[in-house]
């Protein structure tokens, strides 16, 4: 009897849930088109590299309704939801340089910042503690591993691959190096023997073109 | 090889930030040691992020956001994230490096009972008691059951009970139905979490029931 219940309670978390997660991902990836994903990456890049306030305003307005929804659901209270929005987005601004687009999607990264903030707020409400443990609890697991698969999946979308092929040679090499071979921008600059700034500007041009292309066919 | 893992439900709640701090810390430490749960947690995270971006609250006046945006971006500096220095503790002459999830959690002094040493973790989760438990080689916790639940996360060393041998990373969740008496086959360090005192169930150790409160 002991054996049985123990087996159930400690069962390896695999199997059906893996399939469910995979299914959810496929269906939900359609929520966000490749050009939206590229747009989010571009805003993040401008926030991190240029402290671009306009890009931040765009990112803020894109995420705010989603953060407020999560906040209202979790706290059942509009002012707490507003606090969650303010604190989470301030974290996005202050930590933008820690986001690594080669290792995960912007949406997942921002979700984890909102999740952390709501954890600390809940803890403060329930235990009166202001120790903000969330960064210790989740620090190793947020955007640190190599999980570029999600963004790659978008880009590997057949239609997009066709567009990438149509890019000018120089931009094509940069896009392929970064998103298909998963090189860092520095590695790619070394490999191509060009300055890092050139890699960045070619990437921006290429993403701009891809967005324009994709836009035409999605509107 | 890690055999005992948090349930999918626990892992899912962990990813959503809905577990109490004590349990979140435990899952975080397990994930550090378990690539399989790390992958699964990341999949849950991606899936949560997708639900997150799929939801919108009622539209509101966006103008009010401009002040907030201006306020946030007033300061152009970035947050620096200093790499935390490894935190070492010494118990009975042995050194252990604590997982980074515990870096900002207060530790009480060590209470020593024979081969057992216990330090309470100050996580402030009400009735839940989180501790570090050190058992010297050959040491054992008398046969007991649990009134509520008991979670043991083995951080270092090895122990066994009537049911199995455990290795670092094993996440062992027991409840009132389970009765066991763990013995350290090597000196070991565990993170333990219990929501009530142990209940010692055999022979002389029944006399020690009050120490259940002290140990866990």
């Amino acid at each position: 009897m002991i054996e049985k219940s123990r087996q159930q309670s400690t069962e390896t978390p695999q199997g059906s849930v893996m399939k469910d997660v995979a299914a959810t991902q496929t269906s939900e990836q359609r929520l966000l088109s490749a050009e939206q994903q590229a747009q989010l990456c571009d805003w993040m890049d401008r926030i991190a590299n240029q402290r671009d306030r306009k890009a931040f305003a765009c990112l803020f307005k894109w995420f705010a309704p989603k953060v407020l929804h999560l906040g209202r659901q979790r706290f059942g209270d509009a002012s707490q939801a507003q606090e969650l929005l303010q604190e989470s987005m301030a974290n996005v601004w202050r930590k933008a340089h820690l986001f690594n687009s080669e290792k995960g999607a912007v949406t997942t990264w921002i979700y984890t910042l909102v999740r952390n903030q709501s954890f600390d707020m809940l803890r403060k409400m329930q235990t009166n503690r202001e120790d903000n443990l969330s960064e210790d609890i989740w620090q190793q697991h947020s955007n640190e591993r190599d999980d570029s698969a999600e963004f790659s999946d978008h880009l590997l979308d057949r239609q997009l691959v066709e567009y990438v092929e149509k890019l000018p040679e120089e931009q094509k090499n940069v896009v392929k190096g970064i998103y298909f071979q998963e090189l860092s921008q520095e590695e790619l600059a070394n490999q191509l023997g060009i300055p890092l700034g050139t890699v960045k500007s070619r990437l921006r041009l290429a993403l701009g073109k891809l967005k324009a292309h994709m836009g035409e066919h999605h509107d | 090889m890690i055999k005992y893992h948090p349930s999918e439900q626990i892992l899912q709640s962990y990813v959503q930030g809905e577990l109490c701090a004590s349990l979140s810390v435990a899952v975080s430490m397990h994930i550090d040691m378990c690539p399989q749960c790390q992958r699964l947690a990341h999949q849950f995270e991606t899936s949560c992020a997708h639900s997150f971006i799929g939801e919108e609250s009622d539209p509101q006046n966006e103008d009010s956001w401009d002040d907030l945006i201006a306020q946030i971006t007033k300061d152009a500096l970035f947050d620096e994230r200093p790499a935390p220095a490894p935190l070492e503790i010494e118990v009975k002459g042995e050194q252990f490096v604590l997982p980074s999830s515990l870096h900002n959690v207060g530790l009480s002094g060590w209470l020593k009972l024979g081969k057992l040493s216990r330090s309470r973790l100050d996580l402030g989760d009400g009735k839940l008691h989180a501790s570090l438990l050190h058992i010297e080689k050959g040491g054992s916790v008398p046969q007991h059951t649990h009134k509520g639940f008991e979670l043991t996360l083995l951080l270092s060393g090895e122990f066994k009970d009537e049911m199995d041998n455990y290795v670092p990373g094993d996440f062992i969740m027991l409840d009132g139905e389970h009765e066991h008496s763990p013995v350290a086959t090597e000196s070991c360090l565990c993170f333990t979490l219990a929501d009530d005192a142990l209940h010692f169930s055999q022979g002389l150790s029944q006399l020690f029931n009050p120490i259940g409160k002290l140990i866990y």
Side-chain angles (χ1 to χ4, degrees):
Chain A
M1 193 59 208
I2 288 174
E3 268 306 308
K4 189 159 175 269
S5 59
R6 159 177 275 231
Q7 281 303 323
Q8 284 167 351
S9 64
T10 56
E11 197 176 68
T12 304
Q14 297 283 5
S16 65
V17 166
M18 296 287 259
K19 274 182 229 142
D20 291 348
V21 169
T24 322
Q25 282 181 359
T26 332
S27 71
E28 286 180 351
Q29 264 170 13
R30 291 189 202 112
L31 279 175
L32 204 60
S33 65
E35 81 267 20
Q36 278 177 308
Q37 187 84 21
Q39 175 70 79
L40 295 176
C41 275
D42 184 47
W43 284 335
M44 278 305 298
D45 189 44
R46 277 157 50 194
I47 295 164
N49 293 321
Q50 298 155 31
R51 304 262 76 189
D52 185 332
R53 292 181 164 89
K54 278 187 188 142
F56 180 75
C58 293
L59 193 80
F60 185 103
K61 287 174 181 172
W62 199 87
F63 278 101
K66 305 165 200 319
V67 180
L68 288 173
H69 179 86
L70 189 147
R72 286 203 190 123
Q73 250 189 347
R74 200 157 289 195
F75 302 109
D77 175 292
S79 72
Q80 295 281 354
Q82 186 69 21
E83 185 182 335
L84 179 67
L85 173 65
Q86 176 163 358
E87 294 300 323
S88 311
M89 294 312 286
N91 281 334
V92 172
W93 174 254
R94 291 196 300 255
K95 294 175 197 293
H97 61 304
L98 300 173
F99 170 69
N100 185 344
S101 65
E102 288 139 58
K103 294 193 172 174
V106 179
T107 47
T108 307
W109 186 70
I110 292 184
Y111 170 75
T112 61
L113 291 185
V114 175
R115 182 265 322 271
N116 288 8
Q117 186 61 43
S118 84
F119 174 87
D120 286 330
M121 281 173 62
L122 275 174
R123 181 163 164 77
K124 193 167 144 188
M125 289 157 71
Q126 283 165 359
T127 68
N128 234 347
R129 297 277 180 130
E130 304 212 27
D131 43 10
N132 298 340
L133 292 178
S134 66
E135 285 197 27
D136 288 337
I137 292 173
W138 282 285
Q139 68 173 345
Q140 308 89 338
H141 319 313
S142 299
N143 198 233
E144 302 258 320
R145 287 177 320 280
D146 185 8
D147 37 45
S148 45
E150 195 196 359
F151 194 51
S152 304
D153 281 348
H154 283 293
L155 281 171
L156 286 170
D157 181 80
R158 214 173 51 199
Q159 201 182 16
L160 193 57
V161 172
E162 280 171 29
Y163 288 133
V164 170
E165 288 302 329
K166 286 183 193 154
L167 288 170
E169 198 63 24
E170 290 177 334
Q171 290 169 22
K172 184 162 72 181
N173 291 340
V174 172
V175 170
K176 284 187 163 179
I178 286 183
Y179 293 112
F180 298 179
Q181 293 166 31
E182 300 176 6
L183 297 170
S184 72
Q185 297 187 350
E186 286 81 353
E187 284 167 339
L188 193 61
N190 284 337
Q191 203 177 88
L192 297 173
I194 53 174
L196 183 59
T198 311
V199 170
K200 286 179 193 285
S201 58
R202 281 181 191 171
L203 185 62
R204 185 161 311 133
L205 282 172
L207 290 178
K209 281 189 188 146
L210 290 175
K211 270 185 284 180
H213 268 304
M214 298 302 280
E216 277 168 27
H217 293 262
H218 280 257
D219 289 343
Chain B
M1 180 73 178
I2 298 175
K3 278 186 283 188
Y4 297 93
H5 306 267
S7 67
E8 287 165 0
Q9 197 194 354
I10 288 182
L11 212 50
Q12 182 76 255
S13 309
Y14 164 77
V15 162
Q16 291 172 291
E18 288 172 349
L19 294 180
C20 65
S22 319
L23 210 44
S24 300
V25 163
V27 175
S28 168
M29 292 188 291
H30 170 79
I31 285 178
D32 273 352
M33 294 187 267
C34 177
Q36 178 188 324
C37 288
Q38 198 173 103
R39 272 196 301 276
L40 194 57
H42 184 67
Q43 283 178 325
F44 285 147
E45 217 159 57
T46 307
S47 167
C48 288
H50 283 140
S51 317
F52 164 66
I53 59 164
E55 300 284 0
E56 302 263 324
S57 62
D58 299 332
Q60 62 161 259
N61 184 8
E62 289 201 8
D63 293 344
S64 66
W65 288 344
D66 290 332
D67 290 343
L68 195 49
I69 292 167
Q71 201 185 320
I72 289 172
T73 56
K74 211 163 48 189
D75 187 354
L77 292 177
F78 289 114
D79 259 9
E80 287 308 320
R81 185 179 55 169
L87 194 63
E88 282 193 27
I89 55 163
E90 191 186 311
V91 199
K92 299 254 175 101
E94 274 191 276
Q95 301 281 336
F96 297 94
V97 177
L98 284 189
S100 45
S101 322
L102 294 176
H103 276 185
N104 288 303
V105 177
L107 270 178
S108 78
W110 290 86
L111 173 79
K112 292 172 182 157
L113 292 160
K115 293 191 172 187
L116 302 178
S117 308
R118 186 224 70 189
S119 170
R120 194 75 92 202
L121 291 162
D122 182 24
L123 282 157
D125 273 334
K127 253 180 67 186
L128 286 177
H129 296 148
S131 314
L132 288 176
L133 181 66
H134 179 266
I135 313 177
E136 275 180 76
K137 184 172 178 175
S140 65
V141 181
Q143 179 124 9
H144 60 274
T145 57
H146 314 94
K147 287 190 201 161
F149 75 89
E150 173 202 278
L151 165 69
T152 306
L153 175 67
L154 183 53
L155 297 173
S156 165
E158 280 178 27
F159 76 87
K160 62 173 185 179
D161 64 13
E162 292 81 347
M163 296 167 269
D164 216 335
N165 291 304
Y166 305 96
V167 298
D170 271 330
F171 187 101
I172 308 144
M173 189 70 111
L174 301 174
D175 63 29
E177 288 188 17
H178 302 111
E179 188 159 324
H180 73 156
S181 50
V183 179
T185 44
E186 269 178 35
S187 88
C188 63
L189 185 71
C190 307
F191 170 90
T192 65
L193 181 62
D195 73 343
D196 207 334
L198 303 196
H199 186 74
F200 290 97
S201 49
Q202 206 176 52
L204 266 185
S205 57
Q206 283 183 54
L207 294 175
F208 294 116
N209 266 326
I211 77 165
K213 265 206 160 60
L214 291 176
I215 297 175
Y216 279 83

